[in-house]
Amino acid sequence: MNRLSDLHRREDGSVIFSATVLLIGFALLIGYVGNMWAELIEKQNTQASADSAAYSASVWRARGMNTVCTCNHLMGELTSLVVILEALGGPEAGSSPFEPCGTDQSQNSMIESVLGLSKSQSDIAAFAKFDAKFVDLLYKLFVSSHTRHYCGAAIYDAELALKAQFASALMGKCVGTVMEIIGKIPFLKPVGWIGTAIHGIIDLPLGLELLPELLKDRMLEMLVSAIAPVKDLVRIVIPVLGAYSAEIASIGVTQGAVRTSILDTTNRVAEFYGLDACVAVPGNLPVQRESGPAANAKSKQQPTATPWKSSDRKSSFIDTINTVVNKIGIAKPIMYGYYLVAKATPRRFRSSNQKKIVEQYPKISQYSSKMKAGIPSEGYDDNPSRNKLKSFDLDAEKLTQFVRATNPYVDSARSPMRGWFRDQMPVSNISTYFTHWSYRYTLNESFCLRNGEHGIPAQMLVLEGWDAKKKGNENWTDDPDGADRTFSLVVGVQGREREPVFAPSVYLRARPNGDVAIAQGMIYNLNARAKTVTSSGSNLQPTTGWDTLQWEPQSGTVRAPEWNAQPSGPKGKLAPWEFFNKRSLSTNDGARVKLNWQAKLRPVTEHGARTLADDSGVPDAIRSVSGVVADHAVLLSH
């Protein structure tokens, strides 16, 4: 009995019960905290995986955009090479030679008609002999040995200009010959001396100016004809670059380079973080092919007119002689007086010179009237290259991405060449002709390449929704949602199903399908952008880095010239081997390229979440969470 009462009064063992309860509670608390910590770490890892995937995928898109810009510029540079060669020799260079026609033919006839009368008949036999051989040499070079041409465009115009100068000089020499004939009358010998002096004065620039420039023109013709086949090779490469650029952007192919790289990135992220799914939408670039020329354009014409109305022509001594002979008209009255005397002389008593003047004077008079207008500054209308220019919508072609990519490079390469032509070949005015033809062929070659005239059409890539007339002032510049749709990329990830770390039978997982996280990245351009509206008369291209050309702004303004801009000034005397060094290729406008597409993370937007929710290729768990986020988008800004 005492033992039972002692048992009730004793307190031994009560601590064990309390300790057991406390230990169980403490263990549950530790398990809860441990599971919560593990869940937190997993959530952080899941979000980190989404962020890293979104940033990495955006970096691939930025690299893709810079690659597209590089391809566009390579296409522009290569096109400028074709333009330069075409401007010099036209499509005739490297093909079969062609016979004289039009103005060229009339010049040949004029030279042949006055050739006999243009040789000195001085009493000084040595001078008369030298003059006759010199005139025959020039005749062979201008007419006899070169009755066919191998180049059109600027070289053809320059040769006709030289031939016109030669014909005018021969007319001046005809005046000297007439005066020498008159000087054979005993009391008029001083007139003959003046005639001989005229021959000597004209022979001097013929030998020092006209002959060297003719030889340079022939050498240039041979050079351009020899390298003309390069144009065909370049015309094959340009569309290939366009196709490669489209493949990069996943245009026309199921899995382009950028999309493949993004897919590889998401797979690597999923593997590294142990995810069930990691998807990025969209996987392509925000670009499209530039549309080709309109087949039903209302206004079609050849690009014969150019915006440059000046001239590089430098006056020379032979110009002064031709001005006196033709424009002032000193030759015509003397020749006409001699013609009247010869006409009045009975046929049986006419000398050989009188017979020549009677036969040829009508042609001489007609050509002399034409020469009063001078040498045309924009070239000859019957140049065979003019007929081969295509007809198209000039105003639309000027604003195409192709012309905007090509023209600055044409201007850059043209500048030192103009300087050399102006200083080394001033009589032929080839510098002026070359400038005009480079303008014409910039548009013509762009149209031909885009229209597939040489085979496969060449297409540059432009931003989605691109409008040539609104470049720099696109719709998304005033529409944040539009910019979000164009430049953003959203990533959704789904973690794997994992049991709780502690007491999985006690602690249930809140999301049995794994954690879901969303992240959004975007591409942007660090080059300056100014809202502008492009007009047909603009001289500089719009200042916008958000483009597939990325001209670098200088002092806030892009210096790349539009087609309408005046050409950069000649860069002084440069040898041919200096044409393509760094100094000569930097234009006065300072057009430079800076590839500056970048990537960054940005807060998830309603559009980004909705993009994931509406994509059928996204796992259901990610779509469900994204839909909830999109439906409660107001909370995204809190």
Side-chain angles (χ1 to χ4, degrees):
M1 191 70 181
N2 291 333
R3 290 179 179 179
L4 291 174
S5 61
D6 289 342
L7 182 61
H8 286 288
R9 289 194 297 268
R10 291 174 62 184
E11 297 181 0
D12 296 344
S14 59
V15 173
I16 295 175
F17 178 78
S18 301
T20 301
V21 173
L22 287 175
L23 285 174
I24 293 173
F26 189 67
L28 292 173
L29 179 61
I30 290 176
Y32 177 78
V33 173
N35 285 336
M36 185 173 63
W37 180 258
E39 183 74 17
L40 180 61
I41 294 298
E42 188 173 350
K43 285 179 178 292
Q44 288 179 338
N45 287 340
T46 304
Q47 187 61 55
S49 67
D51 291 342
S52 63
Y55 180 75
S56 298
S58 297
V59 167
W60 279 116
R61 297 182 87 207
R63 289 174 178 173
M65 290 296 293
N66 287 330
T67 303
V68 167
C69 293
T70 301
C71 289
N72 283 354
H73 279 286
L74 286 174
M75 294 169 73
E77 287 186 82
L78 290 174
T79 305
S80 71
L81 173 61
V82 176
V83 168
I84 294 299
L85 291 175
E86 290 280 66
L88 286 171
E92 293 79 12
S95 59
S96 301
F98 55 96
E99 301 294 334
C101 58
T103 303
D104 185 27
Q105 202 168 27
S106 65
Q107 286 179 343
N108 289 344
S109 299
M110 171 62 190
I111 291 172
E112 290 171 348
S113 65
V114 300
L115 184 65
L117 197 60
S118 63
K119 299 175 183 178
S120 174
Q121 298 186 17
S122 171
D123 293 334
I124 305 174
F127 177 79
K129 185 177 181 180
F130 164 79
D131 185 76
K133 289 185 177 181
F134 182 60
V135 171
D136 285 338
L137 172 65
L138 290 176
Y139 170 74
K140 290 178 181 179
L141 289 174
F142 272 108
V143 180
S144 297
S145 65
H146 198 68
T147 56
R148 296 188 298 176
H149 295 273
Y150 295 84
C151 287
I155 292 176
Y156 180 89
D157 285 336
E159 188 164 329
L160 261 62
L162 288 174
K163 193 176 289 188
Q165 296 280 42
F166 179 55
S168 297
L170 290 184
M171 290 182 63
K173 288 176 68 64
C174 287
V175 173
T177 301
V178 170
M179 296 180 72
E180 285 177 334
I181 294 172
I182 296 173
K184 294 185 182 296
I185 301 174
F187 61 89
L188 293 178
K189 280 190 175 295
V191 177
W193 298 339
I194 295 174
T196 300
I198 290 176
H199 276 288
I201 292 172
I202 295 178
D203 284 346
L204 191 63
L206 283 177
L208 297 179
E209 293 182 349
L210 202 65
L211 179 58
E213 192 156 331
L214 175 63
L215 296 177
K216 291 176 185 177
D217 185 81
R218 295 289 167 77
M219 292 175 65
L220 182 63
E221 185 177 43
M222 293 172 59
L223 176 63
V224 172
S225 297
I227 63 177
V230 173
K231 295 184 295 186
D232 296 331
L233 177 62
V234 172
R235 285 165 173 160
I236 294 174
V237 174
I238 292 173
V240 172
L241 282 171
Y244 173 73
S245 179
E247 191 275 336
I248 290 288
S250 302
I251 296 177
V253 294
T254 305
Q255 201 82 346
V258 171
R259 183 173 290 178
T260 300
S261 299
I262 292 176
L263 181 60
D264 182 65
T265 296
T266 55
N267 289 338
R268 287 175 179 270
V269 168
E271 180 182 358
F272 181 82
Y273 285 96
L275 304 173
D276 271 348
C278 179
V279 293
V281 180
N284 55 349
L285 298 181
V287 293
Q288 65 185 35
R289 285 192 175 105
E290 182 179 20
S291 59
N296 57 348
K298 295 181 179 179
S299 175
K300 289 186 178 183
Q301 52 185 321
Q302 291 179 311
T304 52
T306 69
W308 190 53
K309 303 303 178 186
S310 302
S311 174
D312 283 338
R313 185 170 181 78
K314 295 171 65 176
S315 60
S316 59
F317 188 31
I318 199 167
D319 286 326
T320 304
I321 293 173
N322 290 331
T323 298
V324 173
V325 171
N326 294 299
K327 291 189 176 181
I328 296 178
I330 192 173
K332 196 168 184 178
I334 294 176
M335 297 285 287
Y336 184 63
Y338 184 64
Y339 168 74
L340 292 178
V341 172
K343 189 78 172 175
T345 303
R347 291 188 178 183
R348 71 173 74 177
F349 300 110
R350 289 177 186 173
S351 65
S352 59
N353 290 323
Q354 288 178 328
K355 292 177 180 178
K356 290 178 182 178
I357 192 67
V358 170
E359 292 175 0
Q360 303 297 339
Y361 181 77
K363 292 182 180 180
I364 295 174
S365 178
Q366 183 181 9
Y367 189 79
S368 178
S369 300
K370 290 182 179 180
M371 285 301 298
K372 283 188 175 181
I375 296 174
S377 61
E378 294 191 11
Y380 292 86
D381 293 336
D382 52 3
N383 189 317
S385 296
R386 285 182 177 257
N387 295 330
K388 296 179 182 179
L389 294 172
K390 303 295 181 180
S391 295
F392 49 90
D393 188 342
L394 300 183
D395 291 333
E397 196 67 31
K398 294 172 188 177
L399 299 179
T400 60
Q401 196 81 327
F402 221 108
V403 170
R404 284 168 162 163
T406 302
N407 187 63
Y409 291 106
V410 172
D411 183 66
S412 181
R414 176 177 59 202
S415 179
M417 297 177 74
R418 281 181 61 206
W420 192 85
F421 286 148
R422 184 190 63 177
D423 295 329
Q424 301 297 324
M425 303 175 69
V427 178
S428 67
N429 201 23
I430 190 173
S431 176
T432 302
Y433 299 141
F434 170 64
T435 303
H436 284 300
W437 280 106
S438 63
Y439 273 108
R440 294 168 186 143
Y441 275 113
T442 297
L443 294 184
N444 192 78
E445 191 62 26
S446 170
F447 170 80
C448 290
L449 286 169
R450 296 191 322 114
N451 202 43
E453 300 287 333
H454 306 303
I456 301 173
Q459 293 177 298
M460 288 189 178
L461 298 187
V462 295
L463 288 178
E464 289 180 352
W466 185 78
D467 185 346
K469 295 182 179 179
K470 296 176 64 177
K471 185 174 180 179
N473 191 35
E474 291 83 356
N475 294 332
W476 49 262
T477 57
D478 293 320
D479 180 13
D481 290 337
D484 187 29
R485 288 190 296 270
T486 303
F487 301 107
S488 289
L489 171 143
V490 63
V491 169
V493 301
Q494 179 183 355
R496 291 177 182 172
E497 181 181 355
R498 290 185 176 88
E499 295 292 337
V501 177
F502 300 100
S505 60
V506 176
Y507 296 102
L508 300 178
R509 185 172 176 82
R511 284 171 295 281
N513 293 326
D515 290 321
V516 173
I518 304 173
Q520 189 165 332
M522 72 171 294
I523 55 174
Y524 65 101
N525 200 286
L526 278 178
N527 290 345
R529 184 180 68 83
K531 289 185 64 176
T532 58
V533 177
T534 304
S535 64
S536 58
S538 299
N539 290 326
L540 295 176
Q541 296 187 26
T543 301
T544 176
W546 298 64
D547 184 38
T548 56
L549 289 181
Q550 297 191 77
W551 296 111
E552 181 183 9
Q554 300 173 54
S555 302
T557 304
V558 162
R559 308 305 300 174
E562 291 275 26
W563 184 86
N564 293 308
Q566 297 298 298
S568 296
K571 306 287 280 188
K573 298 180 179 179
L574 291 172
W577 52 85
E578 295 180 296
F579 284 171
F580 299 102
N581 64 26
K582 185 176 181 181
R583 179 176 67 88
S584 63
L585 280 179
S586 60
T587 69
N588 291 345
D589 290 323
R592 293 197 295 265
V593 181
K594 187 174 183 179
L595 301 179
N596 218 355
W597 281 102
Q598 306 284 341
K600 69 176 182 179
L601 289 174
R602 60 161 301 171
V604 177
T605 62
E606 179 183 1
H607 172 265
R610 185 66 65 189
T611 300
L612 279 176
D614 294 342
D615 194 314
S616 59
V618 175
D620 292 339
I622 299 177
R623 292 181 63 190
S624 175
V625 173
S626 301
V628 173
V629 173
D631 292 339
H632 300 82
V634 66
L635 298 178
L636 293 173
S637 59
H638 284 212

